[in-house]
Amino acid sequence: MRRRHLFATTGALTALAATVSGCGVLGAGQEPADLQIYSARHYDLEGAFGQFTEETGVTVEFISGDDAELLERLKAEGDDTPADVFMTVDAGNLWNAARQDELAPVTSAALEEAVPEDLRDAEGRWYGLAMRARTVTYNPDNVDTAAFDTQDTYAGLADPQWKGRLCMRDATSSYTQSLVASLIDLHGRERALEIVEGWVANDVQIMSNDMLLLEAIDAGTCDVGINNHYYLARKLAEDPELNVDLFWASQDGAGTHVNISGAGVVAGSDNAEDAQRLVEWLATDGQNAFVDANHEFPVNPSVTPEPTIAQFGEFQRMPLNAQAYGDLNAEAIDLLAEAGYR
């Protein structure tokens, strides 16, 4: 049987051994939890996992860190890993973990019913649990939505009418990289390069995070941006008078770009039964507990979004291609550099 303890971390990896059954940090002599989660997701884990423990009696600990670091840790630990579930915040990272045989296939009627086909692995190695939409935000005092290209809104922002009016995230952001990877998948590299070069030609202002971007739109520093929907929901919860509206991109075309947070059972888990039970719970009874506090959309179509994001209205989403997000990430980074996007 493999070891069941928390390993010391080094470098940028932050270890968080919080027993969500209410005991705080794991102390000397304290019994280890039933499940250990390696998680790159940092949003309200205690609340959702605590509710899972209350309902099932299965205790949970988690170690948080960067997606790539946690995956490298899994690979280095091999069969001796203490991890039971790997949780990450990008479909490409889930695909990559499965490709490297770090996740075990799971057969689950509950998960197949709860998670749409394109938001889960065809072999059952990972499942989407929370969905975020990366779409257009704008200042309604300065923008008439009739100016947006409803066929391909992302490409439409390369139009000269938006020169000096755009704010976007930096090239190092995984949000930017996944969006560009999806454009390469949708249009091919040549057309995707033209789109990004158009953004650059429009003197796009680069912001280091989505919250700054929304503040810039509110202040009129720029008129239009691309944001994850939940950042706008957060800002509106803080300031209902925020002068920023949301526009669902490409509704007459491919749909709005989405990405997921998701999880899979670790191939080396010695408690795969409870690990699968947790993933199933997060996709069903625990959906609202998992997504609501961060204003994310549930992947389960039978679960109602929380009120703040429900007011944004329904939208058609772009089908998610996890392999493209993972396989085309390096090409997206190269494309951004070639276009002069910083």
Side-chain angles (χ1 to χ4, degrees), residues 4 33-37 52 58-61 84 271 274-275 278:
R4 298 285 300 169
D34 299 313
L35 290 174
Q36 284 196 15
I37 318 299
F52 172 75
V58 178
T59 57
V60 179
E61 299 165 348
D84 299 294
N271 192 4
D274 280 339
L278 171 62

Side-chain angles (χ1 to χ4, degrees), residues 38 67 71 74 84-108 110-132 258-267 275-276 278-280 282-283 290 299 317-327:
Y38 279 12
D67 291 287
L71 180 55
L74 274 179
D84 299 294
V85 173
F86 178 65
M87 182 174 291
T88 184
V89 293
D90 178 81
N93 290 321
L94 289 165
W95 174 83
N96 196 34
R99 180 178 64 90
Q100 298 187 52
D101 297 322
E102 295 301 325
L103 303 179
V106 165
T107 301
S108 170
L111 286 168
E112 289 182 6
E113 181 179 351
V115 182
E117 187 173 1
D118 68 314
L119 303 184
R120 53 182 163 88
D121 178 53
E123 298 179 33
R125 294 168 296 181
W126 56 263
Y127 294 85
L129 298 171
M131 185 169 62
R132 61 181 181 272
V258 298
N259 208 330
I260 54 172
S261 294
V265 176
V266 172
Q276 178 174 334
L278 171 62
V279 177
E280 289 175 338
L282 290 170
F290 190 66
V299 298
R317 63 176 180 83
M318 186 185 297
L320 186 146
N321 185 340
Q323 180 173 351
Y325 290 13
D327 221 13

Side-chain angles (χ1 to χ4, degrees), residues 161-178:
Q161 70 171 312
W162 303 112
K163 189 175 181 66
R165 304 175 68 187
L166 294 180
C167 289
M168 293 186 184
R169 282 293 302 273
D170 53 286
T172 62
S173 166
S174 62
Y175 302 148
T176 302
Q177 293 168 10
S178 290

Side-chain angles (χ1 to χ4, degrees), residues 23-25 44 65 79 94 107 119 121 125-126 134 161 170 172 175 194-195 202 209 216 225 232 267 318 331 333:
C23 299
V25 175
D44 300 292
D79 290 339
L94 289 165
T107 301
L119 303 184
D121 178 53
R125 294 168 296 181
W126 56 263
R134 192 150 189 85
Q161 70 171 312
D170 53 286
T172 62
Y175 302 148
E194 289 176 357
I195 293 169
N202 279 338
N209 64 66
L232 178 57
M318 186 185 297
E331 187 169 355
I333 293 170

Side-chain angles (χ1 to χ4, degrees), residues 178-306:
S178 290
L179 174 60
V180 172
S182 75
L183 295 178
I184 296 171
D185 183 47
L186 184 64
H187 297 296
R189 192 184 194 282
E190 183 177 348
R191 175 58 180 146
L193 179 61
E194 289 176 357
I195 293 169
V196 178
E197 287 177 335
W199 298 344
V200 174
N202 279 338
D203 298 328
V204 59
Q205 299 179 57
I206 302 299
M207 302 284 177
S208 61
N209 64 66
D210 277 38
M211 297 297 253
L212 288 175
L213 202 158
L214 289 167
E215 291 168 5
I217 296 172
D218 177 54
T221 303
C222 55
D223 293 336
V224 178
I226 297 179
N227 283 95
N228 284 356
H229 77 276
Y230 59 80
Y231 288 110
L232 178 57
R234 287 183 194 174
K235 293 292 286 185
L236 289 172
E238 298 169 1
D239 179 12
E241 302 302 316
L242 186 79
N243 198 30
V244 181
D245 286 346
L246 179 146
F247 181 84
W248 290 122
S250 305
Q251 292 301 282
D252 293 327
T256 298
H257 171 78
V258 298
N259 208 330
I260 54 172
S261 294
V265 176
V266 172
S269 170
D270 67 357
N271 192 4
E273 182 177 351
D274 280 339
Q276 178 174 334
R277 186 180 183 187
L278 171 62
V279 177
E280 289 175 338
W281 182 86
L282 290 170
T284 55
D285 294 344
Q287 269 279 272
N288 287 119
F290 190 66
V291 304
D292 286 2
N294 193 45
H295 306 288
E296 289 173 285
F297 284 102
V299 298
N300 189 329
S302 68
V303 175
T304 302
E306 58 87 23

Side-chain angles (χ1 to χ4, degrees), residues 128-175:
L129 298 171
M131 185 169 62
R132 61 181 181 272
R134 192 150 189 85
T135 193
V136 168
T137 50
Y138 66 96
N139 186 311
D141 290 344
N142 301 331
V143 176
D144 183 344
T145 57
F148 289 131
D149 182 342
T150 60
Q151 186 71 29
D152 193 340
T153 313
Y154 305 105
L157 295 180
D159 189 284
Q161 70 171 312
W162 303 112
K163 189 175 181 66
R165 304 175 68 187
L166 294 180
C167 289
M168 293 186 184
R169 282 293 302 273
D170 53 286
T172 62
S173 166
S174 62
Y175 302 148

Side-chain angles (χ1 to χ4, degrees), residues 15-26:
L16 180 57
T19 56
V20 296
S21 53
C23 299
V25 175
L26 191 67

